[in-house]
C-alpha cells in the first residue's frame, strides 16, 4: 500500500539574503577592522533570520510504496511487489488453467508475505532468500515459458521445458505458501503456550 511521506524543504532565499547583506556591507564598511567585520556578519545573520520568517520551509508530499522506517526493508518490499506484479501480468497472458491456478497461489502467498513484513519489519530477515532467489527465479522461469508460448516454439526441447514448468509450478506455489507459514511459526508457538496457560487456569478454577 502506498504511503505519503511529508517532509519540509527549507527555502534558499534566507541564505541569499544573508549573503547579499554581507557583501553589500563589506563593500561600504572597512571590514579590515574587526568591528566592521563583526557588524557585517551580524547584519547578515539578522537578514537570514528575518528572511526565514518571511520564507518558511516548503512542505513536500512524496508518495512511496512502503514506509516501514527501515530503508532496506522498504526497498526489498518494493522489489517483491514489482516481481509479483510481473507474475500477475504473466498469469493473465498464459491460458493453461492448472499453471494459472499455481501462479495465483504464488501471487496470493507473495502478497501476504509483503503485508506481513510491512506490518512487522523485524521479519524481513526471514524472507531475504525468498526475495533474492526464490521469487526472482520463479518469475524468470515463467517469463521464459511465456516467451516460448508467445513464439509458438515447437519441438521436443520446447515441449520438455513447458512440461517441466507446468509440473513444478504447484510445488513452487507450495514453497511460497510454506514461506508465508514460516513467518507465523513464532506467533503460533506463543499462542499455543498462552492457550495452555489459560486452560490450566480455567481447570484450576473448576471452569473447565
Amino acid at each position: 500500500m502506498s504511503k505519503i511521506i511529508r517532509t519540509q524543504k527549507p527555502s534558499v532565499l534566507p541564505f541569499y539574503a544573508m549573503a547579499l547583506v554581507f557583501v553589500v556591507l563589506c563593500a561600504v564598511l572597512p571590514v579590515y577592522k574587526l568591528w566592521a567585520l563583526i557588524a557585517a556578519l551580524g547584519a547578515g545573520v539578522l537578514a537570514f533570520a528575518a528572511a526565514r520568517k518571511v520564507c518558511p520551509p516548503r512542505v513536500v508530499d512524496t508518495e512511496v510504496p512502503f514506509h516501514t522506517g527501515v530503508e532496506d526493508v522498504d526497498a526489498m518490499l518494493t522489489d517483491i511487489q514489482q516481481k509479483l506484479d510481473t507474475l500477475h501480468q504473466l498469469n493473465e497472458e498464459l491460458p493453461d488453467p492448472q499453471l494459472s491456478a499455481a501462479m495465483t497461489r504464488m501471487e496470493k502467498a507473495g502478497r501476504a508475505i509483503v503485508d506481513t513484513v510491512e506490518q512487522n519489519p523485524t521479519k524481513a530477515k526471514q524472507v531475504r532468500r525468498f526475495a533474492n532467489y526464490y521469487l526472482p527465479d520463479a518469475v524468470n522461469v515463467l517469463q521464459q515459458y511465456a516467451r516460448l508460448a508467445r513464439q509458438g516454439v515447437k519441438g521436443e526441447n520446447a515441449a520438455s521445458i513447458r512440461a517441466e514448468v507446468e509440473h513444478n509450478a504447484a510445488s513452487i506455489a507450495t514453497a511460497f505458501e510454506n514461506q508465508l507459514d514460516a513467518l507465523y511459526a513464532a506467533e503460533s508457538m506463543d499462542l499455543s503456550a498462552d492457550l495452555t496457560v489459560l486452560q490450566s487456569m480455567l481447570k484450576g478454577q473448576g471452569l473447565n
Side-chain angles (χ1 to χ4, degrees), residues 100-131:
S100 178
M103 292 172 70
T104 298
R105 287 172 56 199
M106 293 180 209
E107 182 183 354
K108 182 179 180 180
R111 303 283 184 196
I113 288 171
V114 169
D115 290 342
T116 302
V117 175
E118 183 181 16
Q119 294 171 17
N120 189 351
T122 60
K123 293 180 178 289
K125 60 184 179 181
Q126 297 177 243
V127 300
R128 291 289 182 188
R129 189 174 295 275
F130 168 81

Side-chain angles (χ1 to χ4, degrees), residues 24-188:
V24 170
L25 290 179
C26 284
V28 299
L29 294 176
V31 290
Y32 54 86
K33 295 183 179 181
L34 182 59
W35 69 265
L37 180 60
I38 293 175
L41 289 172
V45 171
L46 291 174
F48 177 84
R52 283 193 67 179
K53 291 183 179 180
V54 177
C55 307
R58 182 166 54 95
V59 176
V60 178
D61 289 341
T62 305
E63 184 175 4
V64 295
F66 301 96
H67 185 54
T68 64
V70 184
E71 187 174 348
D72 64 330
V73 174
D74 293 341
M76 183 187 72
L77 293 178
T78 300
D79 185 62
I80 293 175
Q81 181 171 262
Q82 290 171 348
K83 287 181 171 59
L84 291 173
D85 290 342
T86 300
L87 184 66
H88 181 83
Q89 183 62 39
L90 288 170
N91 194 3
E92 292 186 339
E93 297 175 5
L94 297 174
D96 184 87
Q98 290 185 338
L99 180 58
S100 178
M103 292 172 70
T104 298
R105 287 172 56 199
M106 293 180 209
E107 182 183 354
K108 182 179 180 180
R111 303 283 184 196
I113 288 171
V114 169
D115 290 342
T116 302
V117 175
E118 183 181 16
Q119 294 171 17
N120 189 351
T122 60
K123 293 180 178 289
K125 60 184 179 181
Q126 297 177 243
V127 300
R128 291 289 182 188
R129 189 174 295 275
F130 168 81
N132 295 332
Y133 298 103
Y134 303 154
L135 178 59
D137 287 351
V139 171
N140 180 55
V141 166
L142 290 165
Q143 284 177 320
Q144 294 184 50
Y145 178 96
R147 185 161 51 250
L148 289 174
R150 284 194 300 267
Q151 294 173 349
V153 178
K154 300 184 182 298
E156 185 176 343
N157 289 334
S160 176
I161 292 173
R162 288 196 295 269
E164 187 174 357
V165 172
E166 293 165 4
H167 176 72
N168 288 295
S171 297
I172 296 172
T174 299
F176 282 24
E177 291 164 349
N178 288 341
Q179 174 69 80
L180 173 63
D181 186 61
L183 290 177
Y184 289 96
E187 284 84 348
S188 296

